[in-house]
Amino acid sequence: MQIIDGKATAKAIKEEIRAEVDSLVSAGKRNPHLAAILIGHDGGSETYVAYKIKDCAEVGFKSTLVRFEDDVKEVVLLEKIKELNNDEGLDGFIVQLPIPDQINEQRIIEAIDPRKDVDGFHPVNVGRTVIGLPSFTSATPYGIVELLKRYNIETSGKHCVVVGRSNIVGRPMSILMSQKSMNATVTVAHSRTKNLEELCASADILIAALGAPGFIKAHMVKEGAVVIDVGTTRVPSTETKSGFRLKGDVVYDEVAPKCSYITPVPGGVGPMTRVSLLSNTLKAAKGNILS
Ligand code: NAP
């Protein structure tokens, strides 16, 4: 069994990005620039955005944080998005989800110029991803594909079961795995799937993206399978300063001995999600997507 080290892989990719930024700047271009819109003070969102800002600094990107309070009106947010769409000094931006109930999330996503949609959530980017055109692809599935490639994991002709069908993880993951570059035969499972245990146990590559800690147990995994654990649920912990720790969807200790490859939580998919946002921002800065 080999552990897929997302942390080390992300570090290597960051170094590659840093080198590309250095050559852009030496060629007289400005540093890539990412902005993040953060609404309210949710602990998780604060942490994720802080990581994004820190990641930008590490690779030589400029970053801007735009904050609004929880009671911000949709029209105000749309106005800011318009301003960022037209800001020539900005390559890409994200609106940190989730957003408050008074705001229509889909309207916000669709207001972002697809050329600056480095989260890859705009229907133009989703559609282009589906038909295999250059696009900004949602960071988590993008990062998982990168891990599979960098570990030279054979995907062609393999049966890949993706558990979860969300717009940002499960569904785009299933699309990427079925594309000609990956050539897997894909089954997408969700909360209404029958015989889920048997289905998971038939997977050569099992991608768990449910958000149900410890859901995937040893009897649901085939001997020699590749297991990618996307789940990151915060559970209370007395062992950490923050009072919580992240738990994956897979019972790692019992599943790992059966696998050929497995991602840990933390240190597997999470760091790859972070670095994929940087990769998308670099692509936006280079202007070679949707141009
Ligand atoms: P989501 O929007 O809540 O989607 C969960 C999906 O799992 C849904 O499609 C749901 O089915 C399915 N599901 C839930 N319980 C199930 C069950 N018992 N059996 C079968 N299917 C079940 O979540 P998400 O945004 O995709 O995220 C999934 C997990 O990944 C979460 O833990 C999240 O924190 C984590 N995540 C991690 C990263 C990272 O970088 N590591 C990034 C993004 C998300 P229905 O569609 O039928 O409801």
Side-chain angles (χ1 to χ4, degrees):
M1 183 273 294
Q2 191 176 347
I3 297 170
I4 300 179
D5 189 341
K7 201 171 165 192
T9 309
K11 184 167 179 280
I13 297 172
K14 270 190 190 167
E15 280 160 16
E16 292 163 18
I17 293 173
R18 173 90 230 188
E20 281 209 54
V21 172
D22 289 346
S23 31
L24 281 177
V25 172
S26 315
K29 302 231 167 67
R30 62 167 172 74
N31 296 66
H33 182 189
L34 173 72
I37 298 180
L38 175 59
I39 304 162
H41 300 275
D42 169 75
S45 295
E46 291 269 2
T47 307
Y48 291 135
V49 169
Y51 282 151
K52 286 167 190 178
I53 303 279
K54 179 171 167 274
D55 289 341
C56 282
E58 276 176 32
V59 296
F61 290 3
K62 182 179 169 189
S63 63
T64 300
L65 174 58
V66 181
R67 275 186 173 274
F68 289 104
E69 290 304 320
D70 273 320
D71 59 357
V72 63
K73 292 201 164 51
E74 187 176 295
V75 61
V76 174
L77 195 53
L78 288 170
E79 198 48 48
K80 176 51 81 175
I81 289 173
K82 199 168 156 195
E83 185 189 314
L84 298 182
N85 282 341
N86 294 325
D87 181 347
E88 288 184 4
L90 182 69
D91 299 299
F93 65 99
I94 61 130
V95 179
Q96 184 66 41
L97 302 180
I99 53 180
D101 291 345
Q102 77 272 15
I103 298 167
N104 181 318
E105 183 178 293
Q106 195 58 29
R107 206 174 291 141
I108 295 304
I109 289 171
E110 293 189 31
I112 298 172
D113 184 331
R115 288 166 300 185
K116 292 195 176 184
D117 168 42
V118 286
D119 257 342
F121 296 163
H122 192 287
V124 166
N125 279 309
V126 177
R128 288 177 66 99
T129 298
V130 170
I131 57 176
L133 290 176
S135 57
F136 297 115
T137 304
S138 183
T140 302
Y142 180 19
I144 292 170
V145 165
E146 200 59 32
L147 273 183
L148 294 171
K149 285 184 180 162
R150 287 184 184 237
Y151 274 81
N152 292 317
I153 292 171
E154 182 62 83
T155 55
S156 181
K158 301 292 181 186
H159 181 208
C160 174
V161 174
V162 181
V163 189
R165 57 175 166 182
S166 71
N167 287 347
I168 63 168
V169 187
R171 196 179 303 282
M173 189 72 245
S174 68
I175 299 292
L176 293 180
M177 291 302 288
S178 71
Q179 269 165 351
K180 288 206 167 166
S181 53
M182 304 304 279
N183 284 313
T185 305
V186 181
T187 304
V188 184
H190 45 77
S191 65
R192 308 297 167 90
T193 299
K194 300 210 188 304
N195 305 324
L196 184 61
E197 297 200 351
E198 290 86 338
L199 197 58
C200 290
S202 74
D204 301 308
I205 301 170
L206 178 60
I207 303 181
L210 311 71
F215 185 88
I216 305 286
K217 301 182 178 62
H219 71 280
M220 297 165 73
V221 176
K222 182 157 96 175
E223 202 67 50
V226 175
V227 173
I228 306 292
D229 189 354
V230 185
T232 45
T233 306
R234 283 176 175 218
V235 295
S237 169
T238 50
E239 287 157 31
T240 59
K241 246 194 332 195
S242 60
F244 69 85
R245 69 183 177 90
L246 294 180
K247 201 167 171 203
D249 287 342
V250 176
V251 184
Y252 184 88
D253 290 344
E254 64 177 65
V255 169
K258 294 184 83 175
C259 298
S260 53
Y261 293 89
I262 186 166
T263 59
V265 176
V269 174
M272 293 302 291
T273 297
R274 283 170 60 179
V275 83
S276 297
L277 178 65
L278 299 176
S279 300
N280 275 343
T281 305
L282 180 65
K283 283 181 194 164
K286 287 160 76 181
N288 49 7
I289 298 244
L290 309 177
S291 44

